[in-house]
Each structure stands twice: as structure tokens, then as C-alpha cells.
Amino acid sequence: MFKGYNLVITIILIILSIILFSQLWYVPPFLSDKLTNIIYNISMSYIVSYIFYLMLVYLPDKKRQKDIREHVKSIINSIIAANDSDIDAIEKATKQKINIMRMTEEEFQTLFINKIKMEEKAPFVNRVHFTTEVYEWDRFLLSNLEYTVELKQLLFTYMIYLEDPLIKILNNIIISNYYQHGKRMLSTPNRENQDPKLIASYLFQYHKLIEDLKYYRKSLG
């Protein structure tokens, strides 16, 4: 509330308020009645306008932003959960703990290529129904990617309320190779045309961006 232009406006309000209340008790001799009335009317108009701004604009908008903030947090949590299921499934298949931020891209590629076969079933649990679903690896990854795309589109409906750091993170995710080309790579009917090494590379880079989103989520409290 007290930042930028709002800070300037608040300072002006305080000054005018002081002038207004000083005029109620004392009028300096060097001020004419006409000038005193002008100062009084300006001060009074400004104070009344400020009160109306608080009542009709600032407070309702503050409540709206709070409600939207909670909804945005919920969507972010869903995006993170969908992408965490990728890592959870890879950990189950490889029997190795994965920390994207502490692995190199080459290490992830090697693990993925040696342990993951796109035509095999992915070991994961449906987080909604808590049942084991049957998807081949490429269809499983594709399903999570498509779900994430839908969530991001929903998130952008609140664009005017999103903070700049979040918009930057979302933009980096959207222009990532996995986001841009993953659907085409994972949905090809002929799995022989798939490039597991390239998929692993794109997936690794993409999940590093998801880690940025996790970091941002912590700042929301």
C-alpha cells in the first residue's frame, strides 16, 4: 500500500491533512481569506477522495487479490504435483533417488536411457483415486505434460494479478524444449522414431524450471 506512487500520495495526504487541521484553529496573518478557503477546499477534497479510494477501490481489490492468490497457489501446487509424479515414477523404475538440482544432465540421461523403455509400463499411482494406472512411459509423460499445459493456461487467466517473478518462471517453462516439442516427441505412433536421449535432455531441463516454480511457491507462504 505504501510503495511507489501510493507512498507519494500518502505523503501528500498527510501534508494536506496537517494544513487542513491547522486551518481549523489558526490562520496565519499573511494568508488571505480567499487563499485560506482554497487550501481548505483542496485539503478537504483530497481527504474525502482518499477515503472513498480506500473504501471503494483499495480494500475490495485487496480482498480480491487475496482470494485469487489462494487460487493461484492451488494451481501452482497442482502443476508441481503433476510434474513430481514424473520423478516419482522414474525413481520407482530406477530404484534411485533423484535430485534434479544436484545431478548433471549427462547423469540423468544415462539413468533414463539405461532404465526407461518407452514401450514399458510406468510404475506410478493416480494421486486422485490412489489406484495404479496402466500407461506406457511415453503416454504417461505425455499425459502429465498435457495436464500441465491446461493448468498453465488456467493460470494465465489471472495474468494481471500474477507477480513478475512468477510470470518470468512460467515464460521460461513455456519456451522450454520439452514444453514446446514434448507432445510431438511423446505421441509419435512409431516408437522407433523416438530419441530417448533427447527426451531425457529436454525432461531434465524442464524439471529444473519446475524447481524454480517450487522455490517461488515457498515465497507465497
Side-chain angles (χ1 to χ4, degrees), residues 40-213:
Y40 177 86
N41 290 332
I42 291 175
S43 302
M44 197 66 184
S45 299
Y46 196 94
I47 292 171
V48 171
S49 299
Y50 195 81
I51 292 173
F52 272 100
Y53 164 76
L54 289 176
M55 298 293 293
L56 301 179
V57 178
Y58 180 78
L59 293 178
D61 191 59
K62 197 72 174 177
K63 182 181 183 304
R64 189 181 305 110
Q65 288 185 16
K66 182 179 178 181
D67 294 339
I68 291 176
R69 184 184 179 91
E70 292 302 314
H71 193 48
V72 167
K73 284 172 61 176
S74 177
I75 297 175
I76 291 175
N77 286 334
S78 296
I79 292 173
I80 291 173
N83 289 278
D84 278 350
S85 66
D86 289 350
I87 302 301
D88 291 343
I90 295 173
E91 287 181 341
K92 290 178 182 178
T94 61
K95 296 181 173 57
Q96 181 172 329
K97 189 69 177 176
I98 294 175
N99 188 327
I100 290 293
M101 302 306 291
R102 294 185 177 181
M103 295 181 72
T104 65
E105 185 173 325
E106 291 73 20
E107 289 173 337
F108 184 82
Q109 282 181 326
T110 300
L111 182 68
F112 190 90
I113 295 171
N114 291 340
K115 300 292 185 179
I116 305 299
K117 306 301 179 185
M118 289 299 178
E119 68 277 5
E120 295 180 353
K121 308 300 180 185
F124 75 102
V125 175
N126 186 310
R127 291 173 181 260
V128 177
H129 304 292
F130 298 101
T131 57
T132 301
E133 303 288 344
V134 178
Y135 278 119
E136 293 82 6
W137 270 103
D138 51 4
R139 304 309 183 236
F140 162 65
L141 294 173
L142 176 62
S143 175
N144 281 341
L145 177 58
E146 289 178 334
Y147 180 56
T148 302
V149 170
E150 293 175 2
L151 290 172
K152 288 193 183 74
Q153 291 173 342
L154 178 60
L155 199 55
F156 274 118
T157 60
Y158 304 103
M159 172 66 80
I160 61 173
Y161 294 100
L162 301 183
E163 297 176 336
D164 290 344
L166 176 57
I167 294 175
K168 182 178 180 180
I169 293 170
L170 294 174
N171 183 64
N172 289 338
I173 290 174
I174 288 173
I175 65 176
S176 69
N177 287 320
Y178 187 70
Y179 192 96
Q180 292 288 327
H181 308 297
K183 184 175 181 179
R184 174 183 55 80
M185 297 171 66
L186 296 169
S187 61
T188 176
N190 186 358
R191 289 191 171 97
E192 292 181 359
N193 294 329
Q194 292 176 341
D195 185 345
K197 184 176 181 180
L198 188 60
I199 291 174
S201 176
Y202 287 176
L203 187 62
F204 177 83
Q205 297 166 10
Y206 176 78
H207 276 279
K208 290 197 73 171
L209 297 174
I210 296 298
E211 291 297 319
D212 292 340
L213 189 60

